[in-house]
């Protein structure tokens, strides 16, 4: 029987715990919220405490906490890890954590791979965790040295209980550039949109469009602030692009420019169709 250690038992870590427990692994957990840890143990998703002794038995160690916390946590646990342990972080940005943990893994002799599961909900906490959260979802990997097929096969096998649909490999830099557009900007736009005074009066006038745009405004402020500031160069680029585009739409509306506005809208529609299909 294999053993996985999971640091952080919120939505992501808790879902991993449930998935691995369901697959028959021994799950060891740790969380700064001892009530959450106790609840995870009572639910059967976690079988024991992850500490300096039990971490030595882990075949896989998952870090499901923010980047800076993941770096600090692994620095403390590194001397106790067996060389055979595979460590994967599940953080939302990759440069900060990978730059710190690749050298740490080399120093202590264990294997570390950056990871980002592309799944989640606007709800947080273990009570929303579910074993099938990652079923069919993409998983982005940042290995220490490009396409090491032996390592990638090892990672694939270690992640099988989660049920990911596709594993893709990239660099920390490329990951953070892309995630600024596909995730972080979506949260900023949704959150900022809700600050219109009209938001408090919308009931009875909103349907699918409103729900689609505002779903991720319901976020964890401290977690997202940390991720966005760690990725601020990529975020600023995407924000500047968006602001310039919004200015063009505003100008067309201010000038009552039907043809110009229709062209702008059609351009966005065509790009959406091109990149995502109908």
């Amino acid at each position: 029987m294999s053993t996985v250690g999971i640091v952080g038992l919120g939505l992501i870590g808790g879902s991993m715990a449930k998935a691995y427990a369901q697959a028959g692994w021994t799950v060891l957990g740790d969380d700064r919220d001892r009530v959450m840890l106790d609840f995870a143990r009572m639910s059967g998703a976690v079988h024991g405490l992850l500490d300096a002794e039990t971490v030595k038995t882990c075949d896989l160690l998952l870090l499901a906490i923010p980047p800076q916390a993941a770096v600090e946590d692994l620095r403390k646990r590194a001397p106790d890890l067996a060389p055979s342990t595979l460590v994967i972080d599940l953080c939302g940005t990759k440069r900060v954590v990978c730059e710190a943990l690749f050298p740490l893994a080399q120093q202590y002799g264990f294997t570390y791979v950056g990871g980002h599961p592309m799944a989640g909900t606007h709800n947080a906490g273990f009570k929303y965790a579910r074993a099938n959260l990652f079923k069919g979802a993409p998983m982005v990997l940042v290995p220490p040295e490009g396409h090491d097929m032996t390592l990638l096969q090892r990672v694939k096998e270690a992640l099988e209980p989660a049920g990911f649909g596709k594993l893709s490999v990239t660099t920390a830099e490329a990951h953070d550039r892309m995630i600024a557009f596909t995730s972080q900007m979506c949260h900023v736009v949704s959150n900022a949109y809700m600050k219109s005074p009209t938001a408090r009066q919308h009931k009875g006038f909103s349907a699918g469009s409103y729900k689609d745009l505002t779903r991720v405004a319901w976020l964890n402020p401290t977690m997202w602030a940390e991720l966005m500031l760690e990725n601020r160069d990529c975020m600023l680029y995407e924000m500047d692009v968006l602001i310039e585009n919004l200015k063009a739409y505003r100008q067309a509306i201010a000038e009552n420019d039907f043809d110009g506005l229709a062209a702008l809208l059609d351009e966005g529609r065509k790009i959406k169709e091109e990149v995502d299909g109908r």
Side-chain angles (χ1 to χ4, degrees):
M1 182 181 292
S2 299
T3 299
V4 59
I6 303 177
V7 183
L9 295 169
L11 176 67
I12 300 299
S15 295
M16 284 292 189
K18 290 184 175 183
Y20 278 82
Q22 195 175 88
W25 285 49
T26 297
V27 180
L28 305 175
D30 192 13
D31 195 286
R32 63 184 180 182
D33 184 340
R34 309 320 282 183
V35 173
M36 187 179 295
L37 176 59
D38 290 342
F39 184 68
R41 295 182 72 173
M42 286 189 293
S43 74
V46 171
H47 306 119
L49 178 65
L50 179 69
D51 57 23
E53 283 303 311
T54 59
V55 76
K56 298 174 183 177
T57 68
C58 290
D59 302 288
L60 175 65
L61 178 63
L62 299 174
L63 306 175
I65 50 180
Q68 289 290 357
V71 171
E72 293 169 11
D73 185 90
L74 195 58
R75 280 176 177 159
K76 293 176 183 176
R77 298 186 197 272
D80 299 314
L81 289 178
S84 58
T85 302
L86 171 63
V87 179
I88 304 175
D89 83 87
L90 307 176
C91 301
T93 60
K94 296 270 69 80
R95 284 178 293 177
V96 167
V97 67
C98 287
E99 286 170 9
L101 298 188
F102 283 144
L104 190 71
Q106 192 169 30
Q107 177 184 351
Y108 286 96
F110 59 87
T111 301
Y112 161 72
V113 174
H116 187 182
M118 304 305 296
T121 72
H122 61 270
N123 295 312
F126 183 82
K127 68 178 180 178
Y128 296 106
R130 62 179 195 268
N132 65 350
L133 179 67
F134 309 107
K135 185 174 177 60
M139 174 65 163
V140 181
L141 300 173
V142 180
E145 296 178 4
H147 288 67
D148 180 338
M149 296 310 296
T150 301
L151 173 58
L152 293 178
Q153 182 60 32
R154 180 185 175 193
V155 172
K156 180 180 179 180
E157 291 172 1
L159 291 174
E160 276 183 4
F164 289 108
K166 179 183 179 181
L167 304 181
S168 44
V169 177
T170 188
T171 64
E173 293 75 17
H175 170 277
D176 287 0
R177 283 196 303 271
M178 190 58 68
I179 217 69
F181 172 75
T182 62
S183 178
Q184 294 173 339
M185 278 296 294
C186 298
H187 287 76
V188 165
V189 171
S190 180
N191 196 267
Y193 174 78
M194 286 306 303
K195 294 182 180 179
S196 167
T198 315
R200 300 183 187 281
Q201 304 155 15
H202 81 83
K203 291 190 176 179
F205 295 86
S206 56
S209 298
Y210 171 83
K211 291 178 180 178
D212 289 346
L213 180 58
T214 61
R215 180 181 65 84
V216 292
W218 215 338
L219 47 68
N220 180 326
T222 54
M223 181 190 79
W224 281 101
E226 178 179 338
L227 292 173
M228 290 172 185
L229 290 177
E230 286 178 351
N231 206 25
R232 59 186 176 274
D233 54 343
C234 299
M235 283 291 292
L236 289 172
Y237 168 77
E238 293 295 343
M239 292 181 83
D240 288 343
V241 170
L242 177 62
I243 288 168
E244 287 304 308
N245 283 324
L246 286 174
K247 285 180 180 178
Y249 286 84
R250 188 190 189 286
Q251 181 178 352
I253 292 171
E255 296 177 357
N256 199 29
D257 181 0
F258 177 89
D259 290 339
L261 180 58
L264 288 169
L265 293 168
D266 193 47
E267 180 184 25
R269 179 194 64 79
K270 287 177 178 176
I271 293 171
K272 172 63 177 176
E273 184 176 334
E274 175 188 343
V275 301
D276 292 326
R278 287 187 176 275

